[in-house]
Amino acid sequence: MGLSQHVWSRALAPASSRSTQRVHLDASSRAAFAVWVPVALLGAAGLALAVGWLASGHITWNDGAGIVLLIAAATLAEAFPVPIEGVAVGSTSLATIFLVAGATIYGWAAAAVAGFLAMALVELGRRRPFSRVAFNSGVYVLAGIAAGGAAAGLQDGTLRGLALGAIAAFIAFYVVDITLLAAVVTRSRGIAFPPALRSYLQLTFVPFAVMASLAVILVVLWDRSPFVAVVLVGPLVATALYQRWIHGALSRLREFDRLKDEFITIVSHELRTPLTSVYGAALTLEQQTLDEERTQALLEIISTEAARLSRLLDDILWVSRLDSGRARPFITRVEPLPLTAEVVDATRTHLPHGLSLELLHDSAPPDVAADPDKLRQVLVNLVENAVKYSDEGRIEVGLHGRNGKVRFSVRDEGPGIPPSQRERVFEKFYRLDPNMTRGVGGTGLGLYICRQLIDSMHGRIWVESVPGEGSTFSFELPVARTS
Ligand code: ADP
């Protein structure tokens, strides 16, 4: 494969409004060869000219110190890119500001060397492939030279000339950068150049306009005194941190949105299955030629599937109640043994063939501080999961008091849960790989609800498991205080 397809498709997909100003090349990129090699060669030639120019005494020691400072700032900015909404993550560095300032104040040669060093140091530090380091560094060298040339043409020794020079330098840098990027992307993906360039310009225009203003401010301040220019560090760091914060918040929102979509898909699927059975059974019942036995079997399907529907809707309502904080527990003193025995007995009445269910307990487990309805709900959920996910074997429900806590456990000999999934199964909507759950229906809400309920009763819940041998879901609740 040539360029990293993932990054490229993100970079150019208009639907997702992504763009990037950085190039992600890998060495095997054939199609992009015709672009990155000339850019790298031109960049190398430009760099050689720039070094020659600087070495032939065109800068003072003071200028040298200023250039080193700008190179350090540009390298840091390049190493810590700012995530900007609408522009690909990790793609917008504020380095452009420092490189444009360097080009305006110290000229094209300084900007070329600074651009090369900032980009090459960061890309080499990240161990990028040679083609990518060469192309990206080449782009910065050429953009730096263009910026220096544009600035020089407008400077007349006045403050106005300096500011206009900085603007021209920024535009030149931006145009070279974005054009070369669009060239390599379109080449590697075999798409048309003009629309790609237009899309880049549209997506990056606003952040770049802001950076251009910052570059002008930096140049003007720097011209007065490089020390005064340090005041820009505060607003720049604050902007970068704020952008990161916004980006984090929006990413969380997007993730939430994705989960909601996934939830709708799962729920529709889960609703459709029992509804189809109920509908089919009802249609068959309408034919009055059925014998007693067949009629009974169909009625049973209807009642089982209707119960499943109602459980599903209960789960959904519970999640909504828990998420909106409307499910506060009413904590009281609860005798755990009768409650657990009741759940075990109720499950035994409909235990599938091949499964056995036992209750193992201390002779007199202490009372717990809990909400009895919520405690029952958690137990029912864990026992029903054990039944649902085991084909055969023994299910053991345990009840033991220890260290001021009472531990409830449900052990089965089902498929087990791989170590990497043991925390994830408690997440909302999370279900194991469909092959591992062997097509058993569910919404992935049950264990999420259990964890929320146990947390709200100041307990903790977890799972231990040996894949292929079984799982043990346990939770602990505090012993009720003696009053
Ligand atoms: P659901 O059962 O509706 O899918 P849960 O939240 O109860 O949702 O369970 C989440 C996932 O954890 C299940 O999809 C299943 O893959 C796994 N799981 C739960 N209980 C067991 C168990 N006893 N044995 C094996 N896997 C289980």
Side-chain angles (χ1 to χ4, degrees), residues 7 10-11 18-24 76-95 119 122-123 126 128 132 136 140 181 204 208 211 240 243-244 247 251 254:
V7 174
R10 276 163 47 114
R18 299 277 181 199
S19 160
T20 181
Q21 57 153 147
R22 188 81 45 74
V23 166
H24 304 261
L76 265 178
E78 193 59 45
F80 299 99
V82 182
I84 293 180
E85 268 313 295
V87 181
V89 180
S91 295
T92 309
S93 85
L94 300 181
M119 180 59 85
V122 172
E123 292 286 78
R126 290 184 180 141
R128 303 292 195 212
R132 181 172 155 168
N136 281 333
Y140 265 26
L181 169 69
T204 56
F208 274 72
M211 282 203 264
Q243 281 297 334
R244 269 177 194 267
H247 183 76
S251 303
R254 274 194 286 271

mmCIF file of all heavy atoms in Angstrom, residues 7 10-11 18-24 76-95 119 122-123 126 128 132 136 140 181 204 208 211 240 243-244 247 251 254:
data_model
loop_
_atom_site.group_PDB
_atom_site.id
_atom_site.type_symbol
_atom_site.label_atom_id
_atom_site.label_comp_id
_atom_site.label_asym_id
_atom_site.label_seq_id
_atom_site.Cartn_x
_atom_site.Cartn_y
_atom_site.Cartn_z
ATOM 1 N N VAL A 7 -5.264 7.542 6.898
ATOM 2 C CA VAL A 7 -5.063 8.968 7.121
ATOM 3 C C VAL A 7 -5.478 9.768 5.907
ATOM 4 O O VAL A 7 -6.124 10.790 6.004
ATOM 5 C CB VAL A 7 -3.590 9.228 7.478
ATOM 6 C CG1 VAL A 7 -3.321 10.716 7.558
ATOM 7 C CG2 VAL A 7 -3.253 8.555 8.777
ATOM 8 N N ARG A 10 -9.200 10.023 5.628
ATOM 9 C CA ARG A 10 -9.701 10.993 6.587
ATOM 10 C C ARG A 10 -9.367 12.398 6.122
ATOM 11 O O ARG A 10 -10.154 13.318 6.236
ATOM 12 C CB ARG A 10 -9.053 10.760 7.944
ATOM 13 C CG ARG A 10 -9.752 9.705 8.751
ATOM 14 C CD ARG A 10 -8.844 9.248 9.841
ATOM 15 N NE ARG A 10 -8.258 10.382 10.510
ATOM 16 C CZ ARG A 10 -8.509 10.703 11.777
ATOM 17 N NH1 ARG A 10 -9.338 9.990 12.454
ATOM 18 N NH2 ARG A 10 -7.915 11.725 12.332
ATOM 19 N N ALA A 11 -8.180 12.506 5.546
ATOM 20 C CA ALA A 11 -7.732 13.834 5.164
ATOM 21 C C ALA A 11 -8.594 14.430 4.068
ATOM 22 O O ALA A 11 -8.837 15.624 4.040
ATOM 23 C CB ALA A 11 -6.288 13.767 4.699
ATOM 24 N N ARG A 18 -12.667 16.515 7.092
ATOM 25 C CA ARG A 18 -11.318 16.404 7.627
ATOM 26 C C ARG A 18 -10.323 17.056 6.685
ATOM 27 O O ARG A 18 -10.506 17.085 5.483
ATOM 28 C CB ARG A 18 -10.926 14.934 7.784
ATOM 29 C CG ARG A 18 -11.811 14.194 8.721
ATOM 30 C CD ARG A 18 -11.332 14.447 10.109
ATOM 31 N NE ARG A 18 -12.177 13.717 11.026
ATOM 32 C CZ ARG A 18 -12.242 14.009 12.312
ATOM 33 N NH1 ARG A 18 -11.566 15.007 12.799
ATOM 34 N NH2 ARG A 18 -12.999 13.310 13.111
ATOM 35 N N SER A 19 -9.283 17.501 7.231
ATOM 36 C CA SER A 19 -8.217 17.989 6.395
ATOM 37 C C SER A 19 -6.927 17.793 7.163
ATOM 38 O O SER A 19 -6.926 17.481 8.326
ATOM 39 C CB SER A 19 -8.430 19.458 6.097
ATOM 40 O OG SER A 19 -7.232 20.032 5.703
ATOM 41 N N THR A 20 -5.831 17.961 6.485
ATOM 42 C CA THR A 20 -4.575 17.851 7.205
ATOM 43 C C THR A 20 -3.570 18.738 6.506
ATOM 44 O O THR A 20 -3.716 19.042 5.332
ATOM 45 C CB THR A 20 -4.070 16.396 7.222
ATOM 46 O OG1 THR A 20 -2.859 16.379 7.974
ATOM 47 C CG2 THR A 20 -3.826 15.845 5.854
ATOM 48 N N GLN A 21 -2.600 19.199 7.221
ATOM 49 C CA GLN A 21 -1.569 19.964 6.553
ATOM 50 C C GLN A 21 -0.251 19.234 6.672
ATOM 51 O O GLN A 21 0.796 19.771 6.399
ATOM 52 C CB GLN A 21 -1.460 21.365 7.142
ATOM 53 C CG GLN A 21 -1.196 21.300 8.603
ATOM 54 C CD GLN A 21 -0.468 22.478 9.139
ATOM 55 O OE1 GLN A 21 -0.687 22.856 10.233
ATOM 56 N NE2 GLN A 21 0.414 23.069 8.366
ATOM 57 N N ARG A 22 -0.306 18.000 7.150
ATOM 58 C CA ARG A 22 0.904 17.220 7.311
ATOM 59 C C ARG A 22 0.811 16.013 6.395
ATOM 60 O O ARG A 22 -0.264 15.496 6.152
ATOM 61 C CB ARG A 22 0.990 16.744 8.747
ATOM 62 C CG ARG A 22 2.295 16.094 9.084
ATOM 63 C CD ARG A 22 3.330 17.139 9.375
ATOM 64 N NE ARG A 22 2.767 18.157 10.248
ATOM 65 C CZ ARG A 22 2.544 17.963 11.542
ATOM 66 N NH1 ARG A 22 2.851 16.836 12.092
ATOM 67 N NH2 ARG A 22 2.043 18.907 12.269
ATOM 68 N N VAL A 23 1.927 15.575 5.940
ATOM 69 C CA VAL A 23 1.868 14.458 5.019
ATOM 70 C C VAL A 23 2.282 13.154 5.682
ATOM 71 O O VAL A 23 3.235 13.103 6.434
ATOM 72 C CB VAL A 23 2.770 14.756 3.820
ATOM 73 C CG1 VAL A 23 3.020 13.523 3.012
ATOM 74 C CG2 VAL A 23 2.085 15.788 2.978
ATOM 75 N N HIS A 24 1.494 12.143 5.431
ATOM 76 C CA HIS A 24 1.774 10.841 6.022
ATOM 77 C C HIS A 24 2.160 9.888 4.893
ATOM 78 O O HIS A 24 1.332 9.212 4.326
ATOM 79 C CB HIS A 24 0.543 10.323 6.749
ATOM 80 C CG HIS A 24 0.066 11.289 7.777
ATOM 81 N ND1 HIS A 24 0.367 11.157 9.099
ATOM 82 C CD2 HIS A 24 -0.662 12.411 7.685
ATOM 83 C CE1 HIS A 24 -0.154 12.152 9.775
ATOM 84 N NE2 HIS A 24 -0.793 12.923 8.939
ATOM 85 N N LEU A 76 9.247 22.715 19.147
ATOM 86 C CA LEU A 76 8.305 22.355 20.213
ATOM 87 C C LEU A 76 6.868 22.335 19.696
ATOM 88 O O LEU A 76 6.099 21.413 19.959
ATOM 89 C CB LEU A 76 8.374 23.397 21.338
ATOM 90 C CG LEU A 76 9.281 23.062 22.506
ATOM 91 C CD1 LEU A 76 9.287 24.201 23.510
ATOM 92 C CD2 LEU A 76 8.789 21.773 23.188
ATOM 93 N N ALA A 77 6.530 23.390 18.915
ATOM 94 C CA ALA A 77 5.165 23.488 18.389
ATOM 95 C C ALA A 77 4.876 22.327 17.442
ATOM 96 O O ALA A 77 3.771 21.788 17.407
ATOM 97 C CB ALA A 77 4.975 24.819 17.671
ATOM 98 N N GLU A 78 5.892 21.934 16.680
ATOM 99 C CA GLU A 78 5.709 20.829 15.727
ATOM 100 C C GLU A 78 5.538 19.504 16.486
ATOM 101 O O GLU A 78 4.769 18.627 16.073
ATOM 102 C CB GLU A 78 6.953 20.757 14.823
ATOM 103 C CG GLU A 78 6.812 19.892 13.604
ATOM 104 C CD GLU A 78 5.695 20.328 12.685
ATOM 105 O OE1 GLU A 78 5.562 21.531 12.413
ATOM 106 O OE2 GLU A 78 4.921 19.441 12.254
ATOM 107 N N ALA A 79 6.254 19.382 17.608
ATOM 108 C CA ALA A 79 6.187 18.131 18.380
ATOM 109 C C ALA A 79 4.857 17.988 19.108
ATOM 110 O O ALA A 79 4.411 16.887 19.385
ATOM 111 C CB ALA A 79 7.340 18.082 19.381
ATOM 112 N N PHE A 80 4.236 19.127 19.447
ATOM 113 C CA PHE A 80 2.952 19.075 20.161
ATOM 114 C C PHE A 80 1.867 19.768 19.348
ATOM 115 O O PHE A 80 1.492 20.898 19.640
ATOM 116 C CB PHE A 80 3.075 19.734 21.542
ATOM 117 C CG PHE A 80 4.082 19.056 22.415
ATOM 118 C CD1 PHE A 80 5.364 19.570 22.561
ATOM 119 C CD2 PHE A 80 3.759 17.872 23.066
ATOM 120 C CE1 PHE A 80 6.309 18.920 23.344
ATOM 121 C CE2 PHE A 80 4.701 17.215 23.857
ATOM 122 C CZ PHE A 80 5.976 17.741 23.993
ATOM 123 N N PRO A 81 1.367 19.085 18.301
ATOM 124 C CA PRO A 81 0.357 19.722 17.454
ATOM 125 C C PRO A 81 -0.937 19.968 18.223
ATOM 126 O O PRO A 81 -1.234 19.270 19.188
ATOM 127 C CB PRO A 81 0.137 18.711 16.328
ATOM 128 C CG PRO A 81 0.739 17.452 16.771
ATOM 129 C CD PRO A 81 1.685 17.732 17.883
ATOM 130 N N VAL A 82 -1.662 20.967 17.748
ATOM 131 C CA VAL A 82 -2.914 21.330 18.425
ATOM 132 C C VAL A 82 -4.074 20.683 17.674
ATOM 133 O O VAL A 82 -4.195 20.856 16.464
ATOM 134 C CB VAL A 82 -3.089 22.864 18.388
ATOM 135 C CG1 VAL A 82 -4.359 23.270 19.119
ATOM 136 C CG2 VAL A 82 -1.879 23.522 18.992
ATOM 137 N N PRO A 83 -4.933 19.925 18.369
ATOM 138 C CA PRO A 83 -6.079 19.359 17.649
ATOM 139 C C PRO A 83 -7.111 20.450 17.404
ATOM 140 O O PRO A 83 -7.592 21.068 18.342
ATOM 141 C CB PRO A 83 -6.622 18.299 18.624
ATOM 142 C CG PRO A 83 -6.124 18.697 19.964
ATOM 143 C CD PRO A 83 -4.952 19.607 19.791
ATOM 144 N N ILE A 84 -7.409 20.706 16.141
ATOM 145 C CA ILE A 84 -8.406 21.728 15.810
ATOM 146 C C ILE A 84 -9.589 21.049 15.155
ATOM 147 O O ILE A 84 -9.405 20.236 14.237
ATOM 148 C CB ILE A 84 -7.797 22.802 14.886
ATOM 149 C CG1 ILE A 84 -6.741 23.577 15.672
ATOM 150 C CG2 ILE A 84 -8.855 23.752 14.349
ATOM 151 C CD1 ILE A 84 -6.042 24.657 14.905
ATOM 152 N N GLU A 85 -10.790 21.360 15.613
ATOM 153 C CA GLU A 85 -11.979 20.720 15.055
ATOM 154 C C GLU A 85 -12.051 20.920 13.549
ATOM 155 O O GLU A 85 -11.836 22.026 13.053
ATOM 156 C CB GLU A 85 -13.243 21.309 15.694
ATOM 157 C CG GLU A 85 -13.715 20.560 16.893
ATOM 158 C CD GLU A 85 -13.773 19.058 16.689
ATOM 159 O OE1 GLU A 85 -14.560 18.579 15.862
ATOM 160 O OE2 GLU A 85 -13.012 18.364 17.371
ATOM 161 N N GLY A 86 -12.351 19.862 12.839
ATOM 162 C CA GLY A 86 -12.494 19.960 11.383
ATOM 163 C C GLY A 86 -11.172 19.741 10.670
ATOM 164 O O GLY A 86 -11.122 19.514 9.480
ATOM 165 N N VAL A 87 -10.060 19.814 11.398
ATOM 166 C CA VAL A 87 -8.754 19.580 10.788
ATOM 167 C C VAL A 87 -8.227 18.305 11.448
ATOM 168 O O VAL A 87 -8.391 18.122 12.651
ATOM 169 C CB VAL A 87 -7.807 20.762 11.078
ATOM 170 C CG1 VAL A 87 -6.463 20.539 10.418
ATOM 171 C CG2 VAL A 87 -8.430 22.059 10.584
ATOM 172 N N ALA A 88 -7.625 17.423 10.655
ATOM 173 C CA ALA A 88 -7.253 16.106 11.189
ATOM 174 C C ALA A 88 -6.407 16.226 12.456
ATOM 175 O O ALA A 88 -5.534 17.087 12.547
ATOM 176 C CB ALA A 88 -6.485 15.319 10.140
ATOM 177 N N VAL A 89 -6.699 15.330 13.390
ATOM 178 C CA VAL A 89 -6.010 15.363 14.675
ATOM 179 C C VAL A 89 -4.510 15.217 14.472
ATOM 180 O O VAL A 89 -4.052 14.422 13.683
ATOM 181 C CB VAL A 89 -6.506 14.186 15.551
ATOM 182 C CG1 VAL A 89 -5.796 14.205 16.892
ATOM 183 C CG2 VAL A 89 -7.996 14.281 15.730
ATOM 184 N N GLY A 90 -3.761 15.996 15.223
ATOM 185 C CA GLY A 90 -2.308 15.882 15.148
ATOM 186 C C GLY A 90 -1.729 16.542 13.925
ATOM 187 O O GLY A 90 -0.591 16.341 13.574
ATOM 188 N N SER A 91 -2.558 17.344 13.228
ATOM 189 C CA SER A 91 -2.077 17.867 11.958
ATOM 190 C C SER A 91 -1.799 19.357 11.956
ATOM 191 O O SER A 91 -1.181 19.840 11.032
ATOM 192 C CB SER A 91 -3.103 17.579 10.873
ATOM 193 O OG SER A 91 -3.189 16.213 10.721
ATOM 194 N N THR A 92 -2.277 20.071 12.931
ATOM 195 C CA THR A 92 -2.061 21.506 12.893
ATOM 196 C C THR A 92 -1.060 21.877 13.969
ATOM 197 O O THR A 92 -1.346 21.776 15.153
ATOM 198 C CB THR A 92 -3.372 22.255 13.141
ATOM 199 O OG1 THR A 92 -4.335 21.716 12.262
ATOM 200 C CG2 THR A 92 -3.204 23.731 12.876
ATOM 201 N N SER A 93 0.119 22.279 13.505
ATOM 202 C CA SER A 93 1.077 22.703 14.507
ATOM 203 C C SER A 93 1.189 24.213 14.406
ATOM 204 O O SER A 93 1.000 24.801 13.344
ATOM 205 C CB SER A 93 2.415 22.031 14.280
ATOM 206 O OG SER A 93 3.153 22.766 13.349
ATOM 207 N N LEU A 94 1.502 24.830 15.530
ATOM 208 C CA LEU A 94 1.650 26.283 15.525
ATOM 209 C C LEU A 94 3.044 26.678 15.030
ATOM 210 O O LEU A 94 3.403 27.845 15.054
ATOM 211 C CB LEU A 94 1.406 26.831 16.936
ATOM 212 C CG LEU A 94 0.006 26.535 17.521
ATOM 213 C CD1 LEU A 94 -0.140 27.145 18.907
ATOM 214 C CD2 LEU A 94 -1.100 27.075 16.616
ATOM 215 N N ALA A 95 3.817 25.665 14.559
ATOM 216 C CA ALA A 95 5.176 25.953 14.096
ATOM 217 C C ALA A 95 5.178 27.012 12.993
ATOM 218 O O ALA A 95 6.100 27.825 12.888
ATOM 219 C CB ALA A 95 5.830 24.676 13.588
ATOM 220 N N MET A 119 11.054 20.362 11.349
ATOM 221 C CA MET A 119 10.325 19.214 10.816
ATOM 222 C C MET A 119 11.166 17.933 10.901
ATOM 223 O O MET A 119 10.697 16.893 11.355
ATOM 224 C CB MET A 119 9.917 19.487 9.362
ATOM 225 C CG MET A 119 9.163 18.368 8.723
ATOM 226 S SD MET A 119 7.649 17.961 9.604
ATOM 227 C CE MET A 119 6.505 19.141 8.907
ATOM 228 N N VAL A 122 11.561 16.528 14.498
ATOM 229 C CA VAL A 122 10.341 15.908 15.032
ATOM 230 C C VAL A 122 10.024 14.603 14.298
ATOM 231 O O VAL A 122 9.729 13.574 14.913
ATOM 232 C CB VAL A 122 9.156 16.894 14.946
ATOM 233 C CG1 VAL A 122 7.859 16.213 15.316
ATOM 234 C CG2 VAL A 122 9.411 18.079 15.862
ATOM 235 N N GLU A 123 10.123 14.627 12.977
ATOM 236 C CA GLU A 123 9.792 13.416 12.208
ATOM 237 C C GLU A 123 10.786 12.290 12.461
ATOM 238 O O GLU A 123 10.408 11.128 12.549
ATOM 239 C CB GLU A 123 9.724 13.739 10.710
ATOM 240 C CG GLU A 123 8.561 14.642 10.321
ATOM 241 C CD GLU A 123 7.218 13.917 10.334
ATOM 242 O OE1 GLU A 123 6.683 13.712 11.427
ATOM 243 O OE2 GLU A 123 6.717 13.557 9.254
ATOM 244 N N ARG A 126 10.106 10.754 15.711
ATOM 245 C CA ARG A 126 8.943 9.839 15.675
ATOM 246 C C ARG A 126 9.223 8.614 14.815
ATOM 247 O O ARG A 126 8.321 7.830 14.539
ATOM 248 C CB ARG A 126 7.739 10.584 15.093
ATOM 249 C CG ARG A 126 7.225 11.648 16.027
ATOM 250 C CD ARG A 126 5.974 12.284 15.461
ATOM 251 N NE ARG A 126 5.484 13.300 16.364
ATOM 252 C CZ ARG A 126 4.975 14.462 15.991
ATOM 253 N NH1 ARG A 126 4.875 14.744 14.710
ATOM 254 N NH2 ARG A 126 4.554 15.324 16.879
ATOM 255 N N ARG A 128 9.686 8.241 11.606
ATOM 256 C CA ARG A 128 8.879 8.141 10.377
ATOM 257 C C ARG A 128 9.737 7.584 9.253
ATOM 258 O O ARG A 128 10.967 7.738 9.277
ATOM 259 C CB ARG A 128 8.381 9.531 9.960
ATOM 260 C CG ARG A 128 7.586 10.238 11.017
ATOM 261 C CD ARG A 128 6.268 9.572 11.261
ATOM 262 N NE ARG A 128 5.413 10.454 12.005
ATOM 263 C CZ ARG A 128 4.501 10.042 12.869
ATOM 264 N NH1 ARG A 128 4.326 8.758 13.086
ATOM 265 N NH2 ARG A 128 3.750 10.889 13.497
ATOM 266 N N ARG A 132 8.759 10.117 4.083
ATOM 267 C CA ARG A 132 7.918 11.089 4.762
ATOM 268 C C ARG A 132 8.746 12.227 5.369
ATOM 269 O O ARG A 132 8.397 13.396 5.255
ATOM 270 C CB ARG A 132 7.110 10.369 5.846
ATOM 271 C CG ARG A 132 6.218 11.315 6.552
ATOM 272 C CD ARG A 132 5.282 10.619 7.491
ATOM 273 N NE ARG A 132 4.899 11.582 8.520
ATOM 274 C CZ ARG A 132 3.933 11.407 9.364
ATOM 275 N NH1 ARG A 132 3.245 10.299 9.338
ATOM 276 N NH2 ARG A 132 3.640 12.325 10.257
ATOM 277 N N ASN A 136 8.189 15.995 4.013
ATOM 278 C CA ASN A 136 7.712 17.021 4.939
ATOM 279 C C ASN A 136 8.774 18.091 5.193
ATOM 280 O O ASN A 136 8.466 19.280 5.259
ATOM 281 C CB ASN A 136 7.266 16.381 6.258
ATOM 282 C CG ASN A 136 5.876 15.751 6.136
ATOM 283 O OD1 ASN A 136 5.077 16.184 5.310
ATOM 284 N ND2 ASN A 136 5.615 14.733 6.922
ATOM 285 N N TYR A 140 8.666 22.198 4.158
ATOM 286 C CA TYR A 140 8.932 23.318 5.083
ATOM 287 C C TYR A 140 10.084 24.199 4.574
ATOM 288 O O TYR A 140 10.061 25.401 4.747
ATOM 289 C CB TYR A 140 9.234 22.780 6.487
ATOM 290 C CG TYR A 140 8.006 22.751 7.385
ATOM 291 C CD1 TYR A 140 6.723 22.647 6.857
ATOM 292 C CD2 TYR A 140 8.129 22.835 8.775
ATOM 293 C CE1 TYR A 140 5.603 22.620 7.676
ATOM 294 C CE2 TYR A 140 7.008 22.823 9.602
ATOM 295 C CZ TYR A 140 5.754 22.709 9.049
ATOM 296 O OH TYR A 140 4.656 22.695 9.871
ATOM 297 N N LEU A 181 0.942 19.566 -0.400
ATOM 298 C CA LEU A 181 0.215 18.478 0.275
ATOM 299 C C LEU A 181 -0.890 17.944 -0.630
ATOM 300 O O LEU A 181 -1.013 16.731 -0.831
ATOM 301 C CB LEU A 181 -0.401 18.990 1.581
ATOM 302 C CG LEU A 181 -1.392 18.005 2.207
ATOM 303 C CD1 LEU A 181 -0.669 16.780 2.718
ATOM 304 C CD2 LEU A 181 -2.182 18.661 3.317
ATOM 305 N N THR A 204 -9.090 24.683 6.169
ATOM 306 C CA THR A 204 -8.012 25.190 7.018
ATOM 307 C C THR A 204 -7.964 26.708 7.064
ATOM 308 O O THR A 204 -7.164 27.269 7.788
ATOM 309 C CB THR A 204 -6.646 24.675 6.519
ATOM 310 O OG1 THR A 204 -6.501 25.046 5.154
ATOM 311 C CG2 THR A 204 -6.543 23.170 6.637
ATOM 312 N N PHE A 208 -5.932 29.012 9.963
ATOM 313 C CA PHE A 208 -4.727 29.638 9.425
ATOM 314 C C PHE A 208 -4.807 31.158 9.479
ATOM 315 O O PHE A 208 -3.797 31.836 9.675
ATOM 316 C CB PHE A 208 -4.438 29.134 8.009
ATOM 317 C CG PHE A 208 -3.657 27.866 8.052
ATOM 318 C CD1 PHE A 208 -4.252 26.683 8.462
ATOM 319 C CD2 PHE A 208 -2.306 27.841 7.746
ATOM 320 C CE1 PHE A 208 -3.541 25.514 8.557
ATOM 321 C CE2 PHE A 208 -1.577 26.669 7.839
ATOM 322 C CZ PHE A 208 -2.194 25.495 8.244
ATOM 323 N N MET A 211 -3.758 31.987 12.868
ATOM 324 C CA MET A 211 -2.312 31.850 13.008
ATOM 325 C C MET A 211 -1.588 33.009 12.324
ATOM 326 O O MET A 211 -0.571 33.486 12.817
ATOM 327 C CB MET A 211 -1.847 30.509 12.441
ATOM 328 C CG MET A 211 -2.131 29.367 13.374
ATOM 329 S SD MET A 211 -1.044 27.999 13.056
ATOM 330 C CE MET A 211 -2.028 27.012 12.003
ATOM 331 N N ALA A 240 -3.764 26.574 22.869
ATOM 332 C CA ALA A 240 -3.521 25.157 22.553
ATOM 333 C C ALA A 240 -4.248 24.263 23.550
ATOM 334 O O ALA A 240 -4.911 23.299 23.165
ATOM 335 C CB ALA A 240 -2.021 24.873 22.579
ATOM 336 N N GLN A 243 -8.016 24.364 22.956
ATOM 337 C CA GLN A 243 -8.374 23.572 21.765
ATOM 338 C C GLN A 243 -8.380 22.081 22.099
ATOM 339 O O GLN A 243 -9.236 21.334 21.672
ATOM 340 C CB GLN A 243 -7.379 23.822 20.636
ATOM 341 C CG GLN A 243 -7.610 25.112 19.895
ATOM 342 C CD GLN A 243 -8.958 25.139 19.190
ATOM 343 O OE1 GLN A 243 -9.515 24.116 18.843
ATOM 344 N NE2 GLN A 243 -9.506 26.321 19.015
ATOM 345 N N ARG A 244 -7.382 21.669 22.887
ATOM 346 C CA ARG A 244 -7.317 20.256 23.271
ATOM 347 C C ARG A 244 -8.544 19.882 24.088
ATOM 348 O O ARG A 244 -9.131 18.827 23.916
ATOM 349 C CB ARG A 244 -6.072 19.996 24.145
ATOM 350 C CG ARG A 244 -4.901 19.607 23.336
ATOM 351 C CD ARG A 244 -3.669 19.413 24.172
ATOM 352 N NE ARG A 244 -2.545 19.374 23.262
ATOM 353 C CZ ARG A 244 -2.047 18.264 22.751
ATOM 354 N NH1 ARG A 244 -2.521 17.112 23.091
ATOM 355 N NH2 ARG A 244 -1.046 18.310 21.894
ATOM 356 N N HIS A 247 -11.584 19.721 21.894
ATOM 357 C CA HIS A 247 -11.508 18.543 21.044
ATOM 358 C C HIS A 247 -11.881 17.292 21.840
ATOM 359 O O HIS A 247 -12.626 16.444 21.372
ATOM 360 C CB HIS A 247 -10.099 18.415 20.485
ATOM 361 C CG HIS A 247 -9.969 17.273 19.554
ATOM 362 N ND1 HIS A 247 -10.460 17.312 18.283
ATOM 363 C CD2 HIS A 247 -9.451 16.044 19.737
ATOM 364 C CE1 HIS A 247 -10.241 16.162 17.714
ATOM 365 N NE2 HIS A 247 -9.623 15.376 18.564
ATOM 366 N N SER A 251 -15.011 14.906 21.123
ATOM 367 C CA SER A 251 -14.787 13.478 20.834
ATOM 368 C C SER A 251 -15.683 12.630 21.719
ATOM 369 O O SER A 251 -16.230 11.626 21.276
ATOM 370 C CB SER A 251 -13.342 13.074 21.095
ATOM 371 O OG SER A 251 -12.503 13.867 20.341
ATOM 372 N N ARG A 254 -19.117 12.698 20.321
ATOM 373 C CA ARG A 254 -19.233 11.864 19.118
ATOM 374 C C ARG A 254 -19.330 10.393 19.501
ATOM 375 O O ARG A 254 -20.097 9.637 18.927
ATOM 376 C CB ARG A 254 -18.045 12.097 18.187
ATOM 377 C CG ARG A 254 -18.254 13.282 17.253
ATOM 378 C CD ARG A 254 -17.228 13.259 16.137
ATOM 379 N NE ARG A 254 -15.940 13.655 16.623
ATOM 380 C CZ ARG A 254 -15.507 14.908 16.660
ATOM 381 N NH1 ARG A 254 -16.263 15.885 16.209
ATOM 382 N NH2 ARG A 254 -14.328 15.202 17.129
#
